Amino acid sequence: MEIPAELLNGIEEESSRIPVNRLISLVSDISNRYRNTDDKYISTYEEAVAYISYRMPATFGAIYAVLKDIKDICSNINPKSILDVGAGPGTAMWAATSIWNDVEQITLLEKNKNMIKIGKNLSANSNNNSIKNSIWMEVDLENLSVLSKHDMVIASYSIGEMNDDVQREIIKKLWESANDMLIIIEPGTKIGFSNIKRAREILVSFGAHVISPCSHANGCPINDDDWCHFSSRIQRASIHRKVKNGQLSYEDEKFSYICVSKKPCKTIKGRIIRHPQIRKGHIILDLCTNDGIKKVTVKKSDGDIYKKARNMKWGSVFE
């Protein structure tokens, strides 16, 4: 997975207008606020630039990984219209069009004017007409009215700060606005997964078909003291390394998610929910299946299954 060159160029161009030391200071301040306070609001355009410099590549990687998995499971999915809810700078739009390049209409809902401004600036760099002509709407998710219908609705990193009642109402509206598919993505933390688990329960109660990452629509077997999450690795661009003072050339973004659809799709047998434990002559896999969490040992004597298991990783579908 590679971030589109025109998106990286746009991020670099926006970042070049602010001295690096200033960007580093802004990134540090935003990071501290996110970790230690409830103040997660990006209040200035400079802060929005700092945010895209250090967070947009990682969130792109997570969203892309989710959408690629969905395409692999439901190969006939081909959304023509996408609604990006709580869009930020439009990260989900860029990820979606990297997978489905013939999307015709994109609508983005975002309440932060600075994020909308920077999102539009980044969109101007795109070679994709649906990105260039995307419709941005200044909307507070907690005051959503009836939404227009779109084939695919994506809410990434956008519902986690809301209370349970508001979350439920928003999830209901998002589900009603989806012609086909709804995808909700949150940070791969215990709290992030609890929001995903609750969203999954609500959507199943509405009659939604669970597509991914689960192999079933039964009650989630993950215990309350644990959480289900996955990881995406992205290569750090030069500005990304500078503002984060990163020594490594890559970064891992952990995320939790749920994808549901109005109609059934291919059913998977199971998914690997931990790093495979490779031992001499065998591999131990932790799987989430229709029958709950299972620990499966695949032996070298299992032939083709063993060969396939050697190429599997955390998050892989197990057939």
Side-chain angles (χ1 to χ4, degrees):
M1 180 275 301
E2 292 187 3
I3 300 173
E6 59 264 37
L7 175 57
L8 281 179
N9 291 339
I11 293 173
E12 293 275 358
E13 182 179 344
E14 292 291 331
S15 302
S16 68
R17 299 182 181 129
I18 302 174
V20 172
N21 287 342
R22 173 64 176 159
L23 272 179
I24 292 172
S25 176
L26 288 166
V27 166
S28 177
D29 181 57
I30 295 170
S31 297
N32 288 334
R33 287 184 357 228
Y34 268 61
R35 283 194 302 265
N36 303 316
T37 74
D38 293 328
D39 179 13
K40 296 177 172 57
Y41 192 74
I42 303 299
S43 58
T44 67
Y45 190 76
E46 277 196 341
E47 284 190 346
V49 173
Y51 177 87
I52 66 165
S53 300
Y54 91 102
R55 281 298 292 158
M56 198 171 184
T59 53
F60 175 95
I63 300 167
Y64 182 93
V66 169
L67 299 182
K68 177 64 166 59
D69 180 72
I70 293 165
K71 181 176 173 59
D72 289 344
I73 294 173
C74 300
S75 58
N76 62 337
I77 290 293
N78 191 29
K80 296 302 180 183
S81 58
I82 292 176
L83 177 64
D84 185 357
V85 181
T91 314
M93 167 178 66
W94 285 90
T97 51
S98 294
I99 294 175
W100 297 284
N101 59 16
D102 56 350
V103 174
E104 297 173 358
Q105 177 192 351
I106 302 173
T107 305
L108 304 98
L109 309 183
E110 172 57 43
K111 72 176 182 179
N112 189 305
K113 291 181 180 181
N114 290 306
M115 283 296 187
I116 293 174
K117 181 180 178 182
I118 204 165
K120 288 181 176 180
N121 288 348
L122 293 174
S123 296
N125 288 281
S126 178
N127 297 318
N128 187 307
N129 285 333
S130 64
I131 293 180
K132 280 188 174 181
N133 300 323
S134 56
I135 300 170
W136 288 80
M137 300 176 67
E138 186 180 339
V139 176
D140 186 340
L141 297 189
E142 297 196 19
N143 297 310
L144 277 181
S145 57
V146 176
L147 299 173
S148 59
K149 294 274 191 176
H150 290 72
D151 293 342
M152 179 176 284
V153 178
I154 305 173
S156 59
Y157 299 83
S158 58
I159 68 168
E161 303 303 316
M162 302 168 186
N163 67 50
D164 292 357
D165 291 339
V166 174
Q167 270 191 18
R168 182 179 181 86
E169 185 59 28
I170 288 175
I171 289 167
K172 182 175 183 290
K173 289 178 179 177
L174 298 184
W175 175 241
E176 291 171 346
S177 69
N179 282 328
D180 187 7
M181 194 167 278
L182 169 61
I183 301 146
I184 301 176
I185 306 169
E186 285 293 306
T189 62
K190 192 172 182 178
I191 293 174
F193 174 65
S194 69
N195 289 321
I196 292 297
K197 188 175 181 179
R198 186 182 306 112
R200 182 184 186 275
E201 292 170 353
I202 293 169
L203 290 164
V204 168
S205 76
F206 293 159
H209 296 277
V210 176
I211 304 300
S212 182
C214 319
S215 61
H216 58 85
N218 304 326
C220 178
I222 302 292
N223 296 326
D224 290 341
D225 58 350
D226 198 1
W227 64 98
C228 176
H229 66 290
F230 305 95
S231 182
S232 172
R233 176 163 292 183
I234 59 102
Q235 298 301 310
R236 285 174 168 164
S238 59
I239 188 63
H240 196 192
R241 290 197 298 271
K242 288 176 183 176
V243 298
K244 296 198 74 171
N245 194 26
Q247 302 303 313
L248 297 175
S249 62
Y250 62 86
E251 180 171 325
D252 293 325
E253 175 74 4
K254 295 180 173 61
F255 58 92
S256 296
Y257 74 101
I258 184 65
C259 170
V260 296
S261 181
K262 294 289 174 76
K263 55 182 180 288
C265 187
K266 172 186 172 184
T267 301
I268 64 174
K269 292 182 179 179
R271 189 177 295 272
I272 300 172
I273 58 172
R274 298 285 186 275
H275 285 296
Q277 301 175 54
I278 301 176
R279 303 288 187 261
K280 186 175 181 180
H282 68 278
I283 302 170
I284 302 171
L285 302 175
D286 289 288
L287 301 178
C288 183
T289 72
N290 290 357
D291 300 320
I293 306 297
K294 288 185 175 182
K295 193 175 287 289
V296 174
T297 299
V298 181
K299 300 177 181 178
K300 196 170 185 178
S301 59
D302 291 326
D304 288 343
I305 297 176
Y306 177 79
K307 290 179 182 178
K308 289 181 181 179
R310 284 189 62 85
N311 293 321
M312 290 180 178
K313 58 185 181 179
W314 175 22
S316 293
V317 170
F318 184 83
E319 299 288 13

